[in-house]
Amino acid sequence: MDVIESDAIGRAVEALKGARAVVAITGAGISAESGVPTFRGSGGLWRTFRAEDLATPEAFARDPALVWEWYWWRRSRIAAARPNPGHLALARFEGRFPAFTLLTQNVDGLHVEAGSRDIIELHGNIWRARCTGEPRRVFDQRREMPGPDVPRCPCGALLRPDVVWFGEPLDPAAVDRAADAVRACDVLLVIGTSAVVYPVAALPSLARRGQAIVVEVNVDPTPLTAEADIVLRGPSGVILPEVERLL
Ligand code: BJW
């Protein structure tokens, strides 16, 4: 780590040492070092696949088999992945601050596997499916294998992945809890996200309005970079354990 980076890390550590309430928002970048593809970076899913064909309610209505095929493929990639040092450091952060909340846009479940407990999965979880007829009927599919047909609920309606697609609202209760935590935090860590997908992309400005210090952890610049108080440039699997070591 060079002088500038170690200075930024020092400032982030000082901010965290004085913090009572800390919130972390994570995106696909935190799982990149576990081998889970991101969406927008090099090798990102949206470089190869069109979101309009696979991650919208209209795409599912048009061709549910195609959408399921893509989700089974992603599940197979995620099943082979293990939490990396970034996930593990964040799980240990839970015991380090009087209040620590983890908000993730990721659907891979790796934070829970790493041991995080106070977590809000804002975009759902790829291992669950829900009934298109009765959305409150949710099924754990971690042990399911892909079959030739689109999975169905016992009621006969199609099942769909329990994730949030473009054009769909996030769970309002989850968004309210997330916004409350962000408004009340002293430090907001924004880790491995391109910070372009709303409503999550609006949370850092909410934190700043509440006088929180915003720390971005990312390998590349994002639209948030100019607004962040501290920028830690590098892989989260390296940066977060280093922050933890210095705390
Ligand atoms: C590393 C690293 C390493 C790499 N270490 N870093 C204006 C205002 C408000 C809304 C909109 C708006 N314009 C359009 C909208 C709507 C839309 C939206 O935001 N679109 C934008 C693209 C413009 N939003 C929605 O549709 C949302 N719903 C909504 O707004 O509802 C309103 C409504 C109300 C009432 C009724 C009806 C509707 C829903 C958004 C759902 C997003 N869904 C997805 C798919 C989830 C399911 C699945 O996985 O299949 O969520 S899309 C995809 O993007 C996924 C992610 O969670 C999300 C964010 O991506 P993320 O995590 O940031 O990943 P990347 O790849 O973009 O970035 C990775 C980053 O990591 C990069 O910066 C790298 O540099 C970095 N990195 N390696 C650290 N080792």
Side-chain angles (χ1 to χ4, degrees):
M1 234 165 258
D2 65 23
V3 177
I4 297 169
E5 279 179 324
S6 66
D7 174 56
I9 248 192
R11 288 190 294 127
V13 168
E14 282 317 302
L16 286 166
K17 276 183 177 164
R20 199 197 60 79
V22 176
V23 173
I25 299 175
T26 63
I30 195 164
S31 294
E33 289 158 82
S34 295
V36 180
T38 63
F39 291 91
R40 294 171 185 79
S42 71
L45 294 167
W46 297 155
R47 300 280 176 113
T48 316
F49 303 99
R50 278 164 40 91
E52 298 86 335
D53 294 340
L54 297 161
T56 64
E58 295 77 18
F60 188 74
R62 222 171 21 242
D63 195 344
L66 176 73
V67 172
W68 266 112
E69 191 185 333
W70 190 63
Y71 275 92
W72 283 116
W73 170 74
R74 286 184 53 209
R75 282 179 178 183
S76 72
R77 293 287 303 257
I78 292 167
R82 290 291 161 270
N84 67 55
H87 296 108
L88 296 167
L90 281 182
R92 291 188 296 265
F93 276 15
E94 261 179 33
R96 298 294 297 257
F97 305 97
F100 181 81
T101 307
L102 180 54
L103 311 178
T104 190
Q105 299 169 89
N106 298 347
V107 299
D108 56 32
L110 289 176
H111 283 302
V112 172
E113 204 177 321
S116 287
R117 290 295 167 261
D118 190 358
I119 176 170
I120 304 176
E121 293 180 319
L122 288 159
H123 290 169
N125 189 299
I126 200 166
W127 295 109
R128 291 192 310 255
R130 70 169 195 264
C131 178
T132 51
E134 173 41 75
R136 274 175 302 185
R137 298 184 88 174
V138 173
F139 300 85
D140 182 345
Q141 289 197 318
R142 195 171 275 273
R143 288 186 178 75
E144 300 279 312
M145 296 301 282
D149 301 321
V150 172
R152 285 186 184 270
C153 179
C155 77
L158 292 183
L159 292 180
R160 56 159 285 175
D162 190 18
V163 298
V164 182
W165 286 324
F166 283 114
E168 294 186 317
L170 282 66
D171 172 7
V175 174
D176 284 351
R177 276 180 62 210
D180 286 348
V182 166
R183 268 191 221 100
C185 77
D186 304 305
V187 176
L188 177 69
L189 303 168
V190 185
I191 303 159
T193 174
S194 55
V196 294
V197 175
Y198 287 83
V200 174
L203 293 175
S205 44
L206 204 58
R208 282 181 60 88
R209 256 180 267 150
Q211 310 298 316
I213 295 172
V214 175
V215 182
E216 178 177 64
V217 180
N218 202 305
V219 288
D220 285 321
T222 74
L224 174 67
T225 304
E227 267 182 60
D229 298 290
I230 302 171
V231 176
L232 303 179
R233 181 73 60 232
S236 46
V238 174
I239 302 254
L240 294 173
E242 179 64 2
V243 167
E244 186 192 17
R245 190 181 70 77
L246 297 169
L247 266 177

PDB file of all heavy atoms in Angstrom, residues 48-80:
ATOM      1  N   THR A  48     -22.257  -9.659 -21.207  1.00  0.00           N
ATOM      2  CA  THR A  48     -22.559 -10.825 -22.044  1.00  0.00           C
ATOM      3  C   THR A  48     -24.059 -11.019 -22.232  1.00  0.00           C
ATOM      4  O   THR A  48     -24.510 -11.496 -23.265  1.00  0.00           O
ATOM      5  CB  THR A  48     -21.995 -12.112 -21.386  1.00  0.00           C
ATOM      6  OG1 THR A  48     -20.685 -11.834 -20.919  1.00  0.00           O
ATOM      7  CG2 THR A  48     -21.975 -13.277 -22.350  1.00  0.00           C
ATOM      8  N   PHE A  49     -24.816 -10.693 -21.177  1.00  0.00           N
ATOM      9  CA  PHE A  49     -26.268 -10.939 -21.205  1.00  0.00           C
ATOM     10  C   PHE A  49     -26.993  -9.602 -21.151  1.00  0.00           C
ATOM     11  O   PHE A  49     -26.492  -8.650 -20.562  1.00  0.00           O
ATOM     12  CB  PHE A  49     -26.682 -11.772 -19.987  1.00  0.00           C
ATOM     13  CG  PHE A  49     -25.967 -13.091 -19.869  1.00  0.00           C
ATOM     14  CD1 PHE A  49     -24.893 -13.247 -19.021  1.00  0.00           C
ATOM     15  CD2 PHE A  49     -26.380 -14.188 -20.620  1.00  0.00           C
ATOM     16  CE1 PHE A  49     -24.223 -14.459 -18.903  1.00  0.00           C
ATOM     17  CE2 PHE A  49     -25.724 -15.410 -20.514  1.00  0.00           C
ATOM     18  CZ  PHE A  49     -24.651 -15.549 -19.658  1.00  0.00           C
ATOM     19  N   ARG A  50     -28.201  -9.568 -21.738  1.00  0.00           N
ATOM     20  CA  ARG A  50     -29.013  -8.348 -21.684  1.00  0.00           C
ATOM     21  C   ARG A  50     -29.970  -8.433 -20.502  1.00  0.00           C
ATOM     22  O   ARG A  50     -30.766  -9.378 -20.403  1.00  0.00           O
ATOM     23  CB  ARG A  50     -29.834  -8.207 -22.976  1.00  0.00           C
ATOM     24  CG  ARG A  50     -29.054  -7.593 -24.157  1.00  0.00           C
ATOM     25  CD  ARG A  50     -29.772  -7.826 -25.482  1.00  0.00           C
ATOM     26  NE  ARG A  50     -31.219  -7.688 -25.396  1.00  0.00           N
ATOM     27  CZ  ARG A  50     -31.889  -6.552 -25.600  1.00  0.00           C
ATOM     28  NH1 ARG A  50     -31.252  -5.457 -25.929  1.00  0.00           N
ATOM     29  NH2 ARG A  50     -33.210  -6.522 -25.512  1.00  0.00           N
ATOM     30  N   ALA A  51     -29.893  -7.432 -19.609  1.00  0.00           N
ATOM     31  CA  ALA A  51     -30.762  -7.420 -18.432  1.00  0.00           C
ATOM     32  C   ALA A  51     -32.230  -7.493 -18.839  1.00  0.00           C
ATOM     33  O   ALA A  51     -33.042  -8.161 -18.196  1.00  0.00           O
ATOM     34  CB  ALA A  51     -30.498  -6.157 -17.615  1.00  0.00           C
ATOM     35  N   GLU A  52     -32.557  -6.846 -19.957  1.00  0.00           N
ATOM     36  CA  GLU A  52     -33.961  -6.802 -20.404  1.00  0.00           C
ATOM     37  C   GLU A  52     -34.487  -8.203 -20.733  1.00  0.00           C
ATOM     38  O   GLU A  52     -35.686  -8.456 -20.667  1.00  0.00           O
ATOM     39  CB  GLU A  52     -34.107  -5.942 -21.676  1.00  0.00           C
ATOM     40  CG  GLU A  52     -33.735  -4.496 -21.509  1.00  0.00           C
ATOM     41  CD  GLU A  52     -32.222  -4.265 -21.714  1.00  0.00           C
ATOM     42  OE1 GLU A  52     -31.418  -5.208 -21.526  1.00  0.00           O
ATOM     43  OE2 GLU A  52     -31.875  -3.133 -22.038  1.00  0.00           O
ATOM     44  N   ASP A  53     -33.563  -9.122 -21.095  1.00  0.00           N
ATOM     45  CA  ASP A  53     -33.998 -10.477 -21.477  1.00  0.00           C
ATOM     46  C   ASP A  53     -34.075 -11.418 -20.279  1.00  0.00           C
ATOM     47  O   ASP A  53     -34.617 -12.521 -20.394  1.00  0.00           O
ATOM     48  CB  ASP A  53     -33.010 -11.096 -22.482  1.00  0.00           C
ATOM     49  CG  ASP A  53     -33.003 -10.350 -23.809  1.00  0.00           C
ATOM     50  OD1 ASP A  53     -33.990  -9.636 -24.075  1.00  0.00           O
ATOM     51  OD2 ASP A  53     -32.016 -10.476 -24.546  1.00  0.00           O
ATOM     52  N   LEU A  54     -33.466 -11.020 -19.147  1.00  0.00           N
ATOM     53  CA  LEU A  54     -33.274 -11.995 -18.067  1.00  0.00           C
ATOM     54  C   LEU A  54     -33.658 -11.493 -16.680  1.00  0.00           C
ATOM     55  O   LEU A  54     -33.902 -12.302 -15.785  1.00  0.00           O
ATOM     56  CB  LEU A  54     -31.786 -12.414 -18.034  1.00  0.00           C
ATOM     57  CG  LEU A  54     -31.313 -13.115 -19.314  1.00  0.00           C
ATOM     58  CD1 LEU A  54     -29.800 -13.076 -19.412  1.00  0.00           C
ATOM     59  CD2 LEU A  54     -31.831 -14.538 -19.354  1.00  0.00           C
ATOM     60  N   ALA A  55     -33.667 -10.211 -16.472  1.00  0.00           N
ATOM     61  CA  ALA A  55     -33.851  -9.696 -15.104  1.00  0.00           C
ATOM     62  C   ALA A  55     -34.919  -8.620 -15.055  1.00  0.00           C
ATOM     63  O   ALA A  55     -34.749  -7.566 -14.428  1.00  0.00           O
ATOM     64  CB  ALA A  55     -32.511  -9.166 -14.566  1.00  0.00           C
ATOM     65  N   THR A  56     -36.039  -8.885 -15.743  1.00  0.00           N
ATOM     66  CA  THR A  56     -37.211  -8.014 -15.660  1.00  0.00           C
ATOM     67  C   THR A  56     -38.449  -8.917 -15.569  1.00  0.00           C
ATOM     68  O   THR A  56     -38.418 -10.055 -16.070  1.00  0.00           O
ATOM     69  CB  THR A  56     -37.378  -7.102 -16.907  1.00  0.00           C
ATOM     70  OG1 THR A  56     -37.605  -7.946 -18.049  1.00  0.00           O
ATOM     71  CG2 THR A  56     -36.162  -6.227 -17.148  1.00  0.00           C
ATOM     72  N   PRO A  57     -39.543  -8.406 -14.996  1.00  0.00           N
ATOM     73  CA  PRO A  57     -40.775  -9.212 -14.977  1.00  0.00           C
ATOM     74  C   PRO A  57     -41.275  -9.512 -16.386  1.00  0.00           C
ATOM     75  O   PRO A  57     -41.832 -10.579 -16.647  1.00  0.00           O
ATOM     76  CB  PRO A  57     -41.778  -8.344 -14.202  1.00  0.00           C
ATOM     77  CG  PRO A  57     -41.124  -7.035 -13.932  1.00  0.00           C
ATOM     78  CD  PRO A  57     -39.668  -7.142 -14.266  1.00  0.00           C
ATOM     79  N   GLU A  58     -41.026  -8.593 -17.321  1.00  0.00           N
ATOM     80  CA  GLU A  58     -41.474  -8.810 -18.703  1.00  0.00           C
ATOM     81  C   GLU A  58     -40.712  -9.984 -19.339  1.00  0.00           C
ATOM     82  O   GLU A  58     -41.294 -10.797 -20.060  1.00  0.00           O
ATOM     83  CB  GLU A  58     -41.259  -7.544 -19.552  1.00  0.00           C
ATOM     84  CG  GLU A  58     -42.103  -6.337 -19.133  1.00  0.00           C
ATOM     85  CD  GLU A  58     -41.569  -5.622 -17.895  1.00  0.00           C
ATOM     86  OE1 GLU A  58     -40.383  -5.818 -17.531  1.00  0.00           O
ATOM     87  OE2 GLU A  58     -42.346  -4.872 -17.263  1.00  0.00           O
ATOM     88  N   ALA A  59     -39.410 -10.058 -19.041  1.00  0.00           N
ATOM     89  CA  ALA A  59     -38.598 -11.164 -19.577  1.00  0.00           C
ATOM     90  C   ALA A  59     -39.136 -12.496 -19.058  1.00  0.00           C
ATOM     91  O   ALA A  59     -39.243 -13.478 -19.806  1.00  0.00           O
ATOM     92  CB  ALA A  59     -37.135 -10.986 -19.184  1.00  0.00           C
ATOM     93  N   PHE A  60     -39.496 -12.540 -17.774  1.00  0.00           N
ATOM     94  CA  PHE A  60     -40.002 -13.791 -17.189  1.00  0.00           C
ATOM     95  C   PHE A  60     -41.348 -14.159 -17.804  1.00  0.00           C
ATOM     96  O   PHE A  60     -41.611 -15.331 -18.097  1.00  0.00           O
ATOM     97  CB  PHE A  60     -40.105 -13.658 -15.667  1.00  0.00           C
ATOM     98  CG  PHE A  60     -40.440 -14.956 -14.988  1.00  0.00           C
ATOM     99  CD1 PHE A  60     -39.487 -15.958 -14.866  1.00  0.00           C
ATOM    100  CD2 PHE A  60     -41.719 -15.184 -14.484  1.00  0.00           C
ATOM    101  CE1 PHE A  60     -39.794 -17.170 -14.243  1.00  0.00           C
ATOM    102  CE2 PHE A  60     -42.039 -16.386 -13.869  1.00  0.00           C
ATOM    103  CZ  PHE A  60     -41.071 -17.384 -13.746  1.00  0.00           C
ATOM    104  N   ALA A  61     -42.194 -13.151 -18.007  1.00  0.00           N
ATOM    105  CA  ALA A  61     -43.512 -13.429 -18.598  1.00  0.00           C
ATOM    106  C   ALA A  61     -43.345 -13.968 -20.018  1.00  0.00           C
ATOM    107  O   ALA A  61     -44.078 -14.855 -20.461  1.00  0.00           O
ATOM    108  CB  ALA A  61     -44.351 -12.149 -18.617  1.00  0.00           C
ATOM    109  N   ARG A  62     -42.347 -13.439 -20.745  1.00  0.00           N
ATOM    110  CA  ARG A  62     -42.109 -13.836 -22.137  1.00  0.00           C
ATOM    111  C   ARG A  62     -41.528 -15.242 -22.240  1.00  0.00           C
ATOM    112  O   ARG A  62     -41.979 -16.056 -23.031  1.00  0.00           O
ATOM    113  CB  ARG A  62     -41.108 -12.841 -22.734  1.00  0.00           C
ATOM    114  CG  ARG A  62     -41.409 -12.398 -24.124  1.00  0.00           C
ATOM    115  CD  ARG A  62     -40.547 -11.249 -24.628  1.00  0.00           C
ATOM    116  NE  ARG A  62     -39.289 -11.005 -23.986  1.00  0.00           N
ATOM    117  CZ  ARG A  62     -38.991  -9.875 -23.338  1.00  0.00           C
ATOM    118  NH1 ARG A  62     -39.892  -8.914 -23.217  1.00  0.00           N
ATOM    119  NH2 ARG A  62     -37.800  -9.705 -22.799  1.00  0.00           N
ATOM    120  N   ASP A  63     -40.514 -15.511 -21.398  1.00  0.00           N
ATOM    121  CA  ASP A  63     -39.774 -16.771 -21.555  1.00  0.00           C
ATOM    122  C   ASP A  63     -39.242 -17.254 -20.190  1.00  0.00           C
ATOM    123  O   ASP A  63     -38.045 -17.137 -19.904  1.00  0.00           O
ATOM    124  CB  ASP A  63     -38.619 -16.558 -22.552  1.00  0.00           C
ATOM    125  CG  ASP A  63     -38.032 -17.870 -23.035  1.00  0.00           C
ATOM    126  OD1 ASP A  63     -38.291 -18.907 -22.391  1.00  0.00           O
ATOM    127  OD2 ASP A  63     -37.311 -17.852 -24.050  1.00  0.00           O
ATOM    128  N   PRO A  64     -40.133 -17.815 -19.361  1.00  0.00           N
ATOM    129  CA  PRO A  64     -39.694 -18.232 -18.022  1.00  0.00           C
ATOM    130  C   PRO A  64     -38.605 -19.300 -18.061  1.00  0.00           C
ATOM    131  O   PRO A  64     -37.724 -19.318 -17.198  1.00  0.00           O
ATOM    132  CB  PRO A  64     -40.976 -18.759 -17.358  1.00  0.00           C
ATOM    133  CG  PRO A  64     -41.972 -18.942 -18.442  1.00  0.00           C
ATOM    134  CD  PRO A  64     -41.575 -18.041 -19.577  1.00  0.00           C
ATOM    135  N   ALA A  65     -38.629 -20.155 -19.097  1.00  0.00           N
ATOM    136  CA  ALA A  65     -37.625 -21.232 -19.165  1.00  0.00           C
ATOM    137  C   ALA A  65     -36.221 -20.642 -19.360  1.00  0.00           C
ATOM    138  O   ALA A  65     -35.248 -21.088 -18.744  1.00  0.00           O
ATOM    139  CB  ALA A  65     -37.967 -22.188 -20.298  1.00  0.00           C
ATOM    140  N   LEU A  66     -36.126 -19.613 -20.217  1.00  0.00           N
ATOM    141  CA  LEU A  66     -34.830 -18.969 -20.459  1.00  0.00           C
ATOM    142  C   LEU A  66     -34.313 -18.309 -19.175  1.00  0.00           C
ATOM    143  O   LEU A  66     -33.145 -18.440 -18.813  1.00  0.00           O
ATOM    144  CB  LEU A  66     -34.968 -17.911 -21.563  1.00  0.00           C
ATOM    145  CG  LEU A  66     -33.704 -17.105 -21.841  1.00  0.00           C
ATOM    146  CD1 LEU A  66     -32.681 -17.958 -22.587  1.00  0.00           C
ATOM    147  CD2 LEU A  66     -34.032 -15.836 -22.646  1.00  0.00           C
ATOM    148  N   VAL A  67     -35.218 -17.620 -18.488  1.00  0.00           N
ATOM    149  CA  VAL A  67     -34.818 -16.935 -17.249  1.00  0.00           C
ATOM    150  C   VAL A  67     -34.363 -17.967 -16.227  1.00  0.00           C
ATOM    151  O   VAL A  67     -33.305 -17.817 -15.602  1.00  0.00           O
ATOM    152  CB  VAL A  67     -35.982 -16.062 -16.713  1.00  0.00           C
ATOM    153  CG1 VAL A  67     -35.656 -15.512 -15.333  1.00  0.00           C
ATOM    154  CG2 VAL A  67     -36.272 -14.930 -17.692  1.00  0.00           C
ATOM    155  N   TRP A  68     -35.115 -19.068 -16.070  1.00  0.00           N
ATOM    156  CA  TRP A  68     -34.713 -20.100 -15.103  1.00  0.00           C
ATOM    157  C   TRP A  68     -33.371 -20.727 -15.477  1.00  0.00           C
ATOM    158  O   TRP A  68     -32.545 -21.023 -14.614  1.00  0.00           O
ATOM    159  CB  TRP A  68     -35.800 -21.172 -14.953  1.00  0.00           C
ATOM    160  CG  TRP A  68     -36.727 -20.865 -13.814  1.00  0.00           C
ATOM    161  CD1 TRP A  68     -38.037 -20.511 -13.898  1.00  0.00           C
ATOM    162  CD2 TRP A  68     -36.397 -20.874 -12.413  1.00  0.00           C
ATOM    163  NE1 TRP A  68     -38.550 -20.283 -12.639  1.00  0.00           N
ATOM    164  CE2 TRP A  68     -37.565 -20.504 -11.711  1.00  0.00           C
ATOM    165  CE3 TRP A  68     -35.243 -21.140 -11.698  1.00  0.00           C
ATOM    166  CZ2 TRP A  68     -37.598 -20.411 -10.316  1.00  0.00           C
ATOM    167  CZ3 TRP A  68     -35.262 -21.034 -10.307  1.00  0.00           C
ATOM    168  CH2 TRP A  68     -36.433 -20.677  -9.641  1.00  0.00           C
ATOM    169  N   GLU A  69     -33.168 -20.922 -16.790  1.00  0.00           N
ATOM    170  CA  GLU A  69     -31.895 -21.523 -17.233  1.00  0.00           C
ATOM    171  C   GLU A  69     -30.721 -20.650 -16.775  1.00  0.00           C
ATOM    172  O   GLU A  69     -29.702 -21.140 -16.279  1.00  0.00           O
ATOM    173  CB  GLU A  69     -31.913 -21.632 -18.760  1.00  0.00           C
ATOM    174  CG  GLU A  69     -30.784 -22.473 -19.328  1.00  0.00           C
ATOM    175  CD  GLU A  69     -30.783 -22.441 -20.855  1.00  0.00           C
ATOM    176  OE1 GLU A  69     -31.859 -22.228 -21.470  1.00  0.00           O
ATOM    177  OE2 GLU A  69     -29.708 -22.609 -21.424  1.00  0.00           O
ATOM    178  N   TRP A  70     -30.917 -19.338 -16.921  1.00  0.00           N
ATOM    179  CA  TRP A  70     -29.851 -18.400 -16.526  1.00  0.00           C
ATOM    180  C   TRP A  70     -29.652 -18.448 -15.015  1.00  0.00           C
ATOM    181  O   TRP A  70     -28.541 -18.465 -14.526  1.00  0.00           O
ATOM    182  CB  TRP A  70     -30.225 -16.982 -17.002  1.00  0.00           C
ATOM    183  CG  TRP A  70     -29.122 -15.986 -16.861  1.00  0.00           C
ATOM    184  CD1 TRP A  70     -27.911 -16.004 -17.491  1.00  0.00           C
ATOM    185  CD2 TRP A  70     -29.146 -14.801 -16.059  1.00  0.00           C
ATOM    186  NE1 TRP A  70     -27.187 -14.895 -17.121  1.00  0.00           N
ATOM    187  CE2 TRP A  70     -27.912 -14.142 -16.258  1.00  0.00           C
ATOM    188  CE3 TRP A  70     -30.089 -14.224 -15.210  1.00  0.00           C
ATOM    189  CZ2 TRP A  70     -27.592 -12.934 -15.623  1.00  0.00           C
ATOM    190  CZ3 TRP A  70     -29.771 -13.022 -14.586  1.00  0.00           C
ATOM    191  CH2 TRP A  70     -28.549 -12.390 -14.783  1.00  0.00           C
ATOM    192  N   TYR A  71     -30.727 -18.505 -14.249  1.00  0.00           N
ATOM    193  CA  TYR A  71     -30.587 -18.524 -12.774  1.00  0.00           C
ATOM    194  C   TYR A  71     -29.986 -19.839 -12.296  1.00  0.00           C
ATOM    195  O   TYR A  71     -29.203 -19.855 -11.352  1.00  0.00           O
ATOM    196  CB  TYR A  71     -31.924 -18.184 -12.092  1.00  0.00           C
ATOM    197  CG  TYR A  71     -32.082 -16.682 -12.002  1.00  0.00           C
ATOM    198  CD1 TYR A  71     -32.725 -15.967 -13.007  1.00  0.00           C
ATOM    199  CD2 TYR A  71     -31.526 -15.968 -10.950  1.00  0.00           C
ATOM    200  CE1 TYR A  71     -32.826 -14.587 -12.958  1.00  0.00           C
ATOM    201  CE2 TYR A  71     -31.621 -14.590 -10.885  1.00  0.00           C
ATOM    202  CZ  TYR A  71     -32.274 -13.903 -11.897  1.00  0.00           C
ATOM    203  OH  TYR A  71     -32.346 -12.535 -11.848  1.00  0.00           O
ATOM    204  N   TRP A  72     -30.336 -20.966 -12.956  1.00  0.00           N
ATOM    205  CA  TRP A  72     -29.690 -22.234 -12.564  1.00  0.00           C
ATOM    206  C   TRP A  72     -28.189 -22.157 -12.821  1.00  0.00           C
ATOM    207  O   TRP A  72     -27.385 -22.631 -12.018  1.00  0.00           O
ATOM    208  CB  TRP A  72     -30.287 -23.414 -13.340  1.00  0.00           C
ATOM    209  CG  TRP A  72     -31.634 -23.871 -12.850  1.00  0.00           C
ATOM    210  CD1 TRP A  72     -32.802 -23.832 -13.551  1.00  0.00           C
ATOM    211  CD2 TRP A  72     -31.950 -24.441 -11.568  1.00  0.00           C
ATOM    212  NE1 TRP A  72     -33.832 -24.330 -12.785  1.00  0.00           N
ATOM    213  CE2 TRP A  72     -33.333 -24.716 -11.570  1.00  0.00           C
ATOM    214  CE3 TRP A  72     -31.210 -24.731 -10.433  1.00  0.00           C
ATOM    215  CZ2 TRP A  72     -33.987 -25.276 -10.477  1.00  0.00           C
ATOM    216  CZ3 TRP A  72     -31.855 -25.287  -9.340  1.00  0.00           C
ATOM    217  CH2 TRP A  72     -33.227 -25.554  -9.369  1.00  0.00           C
ATOM    218  N   TRP A  73     -27.789 -21.559 -13.939  1.00  0.00           N
ATOM    219  CA  TRP A  73     -26.368 -21.416 -14.260  1.00  0.00           C
ATOM    220  C   TRP A  73     -25.680 -20.544 -13.204  1.00  0.00           C
ATOM    221  O   TRP A  73     -24.614 -20.887 -12.694  1.00  0.00           O
ATOM    222  CB  TRP A  73     -26.202 -20.805 -15.664  1.00  0.00           C
ATOM    223  CG  TRP A  73     -24.784 -20.428 -15.944  1.00  0.00           C
ATOM    224  CD1 TRP A  73     -23.756 -21.278 -16.223  1.00  0.00           C
ATOM    225  CD2 TRP A  73     -24.235 -19.107 -15.929  1.00  0.00           C
ATOM    226  NE1 TRP A  73     -22.589 -20.555 -16.387  1.00  0.00           N
ATOM    227  CE2 TRP A  73     -22.847 -19.235 -16.210  1.00  0.00           C
ATOM    228  CE3 TRP A  73     -24.755 -17.829 -15.706  1.00  0.00           C
ATOM    229  CZ2 TRP A  73     -22.000 -18.134 -16.274  1.00  0.00           C
ATOM    230  CZ3 TRP A  73     -23.906 -16.731 -15.773  1.00  0.00           C
ATOM    231  CH2 TRP A  73     -22.544 -16.893 -16.048  1.00  0.00           C
ATOM    232  N   ARG A  74     -26.338 -19.442 -12.830  1.00  0.00           N
ATOM    233  CA  ARG A  74     -25.732 -18.567 -11.809  1.00  0.00           C
ATOM    234  C   ARG A  74     -25.652 -19.280 -10.466  1.00  0.00           C
ATOM    235  O   ARG A  74     -24.684 -19.151  -9.728  1.00  0.00           O
ATOM    236  CB  ARG A  74     -26.521 -17.259 -11.717  1.00  0.00           C
ATOM    237  CG  ARG A  74     -26.210 -16.384 -12.935  1.00  0.00           C
ATOM    238  CD  ARG A  74     -26.873 -15.050 -12.855  1.00  0.00           C
ATOM    239  NE  ARG A  74     -26.595 -14.352 -11.621  1.00  0.00           N
ATOM    240  CZ  ARG A  74     -27.432 -13.475 -11.068  1.00  0.00           C
ATOM    241  NH1 ARG A  74     -28.580 -13.204 -11.643  1.00  0.00           N
ATOM    242  NH2 ARG A  74     -27.112 -12.874  -9.952  1.00  0.00           N
ATOM    243  N   ARG A  75     -26.710 -20.045 -10.147  1.00  0.00           N
ATOM    244  CA  ARG A  75     -26.658 -20.812  -8.890  1.00  0.00           C
ATOM    245  C   ARG A  75     -25.466 -21.760  -8.885  1.00  0.00           C
ATOM    246  O   ARG A  75     -24.814 -21.935  -7.855  1.00  0.00           O
ATOM    247  CB  ARG A  75     -27.947 -21.607  -8.695  1.00  0.00           C
ATOM    248  CG  ARG A  75     -29.115 -20.786  -8.207  1.00  0.00           C
ATOM    249  CD  ARG A  75     -30.343 -21.665  -8.066  1.00  0.00           C
ATOM    250  NE  ARG A  75     -31.477 -20.926  -7.552  1.00  0.00           N
ATOM    251  CZ  ARG A  75     -32.652 -21.460  -7.289  1.00  0.00           C
ATOM    252  NH1 ARG A  75     -32.874 -22.745  -7.510  1.00  0.00           N
ATOM    253  NH2 ARG A  75     -33.637 -20.726  -6.812  1.00  0.00           N
ATOM    254  N   SER A  76     -25.178 -22.380 -10.031  1.00  0.00           N
ATOM    255  CA  SER A  76     -24.059 -23.337 -10.057  1.00  0.00           C
ATOM    256  C   SER A  76     -22.740 -22.601  -9.813  1.00  0.00           C
ATOM    257  O   SER A  76     -21.848 -23.121  -9.136  1.00  0.00           O
ATOM    258  CB  SER A  76     -24.039 -24.129 -11.367  1.00  0.00           C
ATOM    259  OG  SER A  76     -23.637 -23.293 -12.422  1.00  0.00           O
ATOM    260  N   ARG A  77     -22.610 -21.374 -10.351  1.00  0.00           N
ATOM    261  CA  ARG A  77     -21.387 -20.584 -10.106  1.00  0.00           C
ATOM    262  C   ARG A  77     -21.284 -20.235  -8.618  1.00  0.00           C
ATOM    263  O   ARG A  77     -20.223 -20.303  -8.005  1.00  0.00           O
ATOM    264  CB  ARG A  77     -21.414 -19.266 -10.906  1.00  0.00           C
ATOM    265  CG  ARG A  77     -21.339 -19.406 -12.403  1.00  0.00           C
ATOM    266  CD  ARG A  77     -19.959 -19.808 -12.881  1.00  0.00           C
ATOM    267  NE  ARG A  77     -18.889 -18.913 -12.471  1.00  0.00           N
ATOM    268  CZ  ARG A  77     -18.310 -18.012 -13.247  1.00  0.00           C
ATOM    269  NH1 ARG A  77     -18.701 -17.875 -14.493  1.00  0.00           N
ATOM    270  NH2 ARG A  77     -17.317 -17.255 -12.802  1.00  0.00           N
ATOM    271  N   ILE A  78     -22.414 -19.841  -8.033  1.00  0.00           N
ATOM    272  CA  ILE A  78     -22.412 -19.392  -6.636  1.00  0.00           C
ATOM    273  C   ILE A  78     -22.195 -20.578  -5.691  1.00  0.00           C
ATOM    274  O   ILE A  78     -21.507 -20.453  -4.668  1.00  0.00           O
ATOM    275  CB  ILE A  78     -23.719 -18.623  -6.324  1.00  0.00           C
ATOM    276  CG1 ILE A  78     -23.735 -17.297  -7.102  1.00  0.00           C
ATOM    277  CG2 ILE A  78     -23.883 -18.383  -4.829  1.00  0.00           C
ATOM    278  CD1 ILE A  78     -25.075 -16.590  -7.137  1.00  0.00           C
ATOM    279  N   ALA A  79     -22.757 -21.742  -6.071  1.00  0.00           N
ATOM    280  CA  ALA A  79     -22.597 -22.930  -5.207  1.00  0.00           C
ATOM    281  C   ALA A  79     -21.130 -23.296  -5.047  1.00  0.00           C
ATOM    282  O   ALA A  79     -20.726 -23.851  -4.023  1.00  0.00           O
ATOM    283  CB  ALA A  79     -23.380 -24.102  -5.796  1.00  0.00           C
ATOM    284  N   ALA A  80     -20.330 -22.965  -6.063  1.00  0.00           N
ATOM    285  CA  ALA A  80     -18.899 -23.308  -6.011  1.00  0.00           C
ATOM    286  C   ALA A  80     -18.091 -22.246  -5.256  1.00  0.00           C
ATOM    287  O   ALA A  80     -16.890 -22.414  -5.060  1.00  0.00           O
ATOM    288  CB  ALA A  80     -18.367 -23.444  -7.435  1.00  0.00           C
TER     289      ALA A  80
END
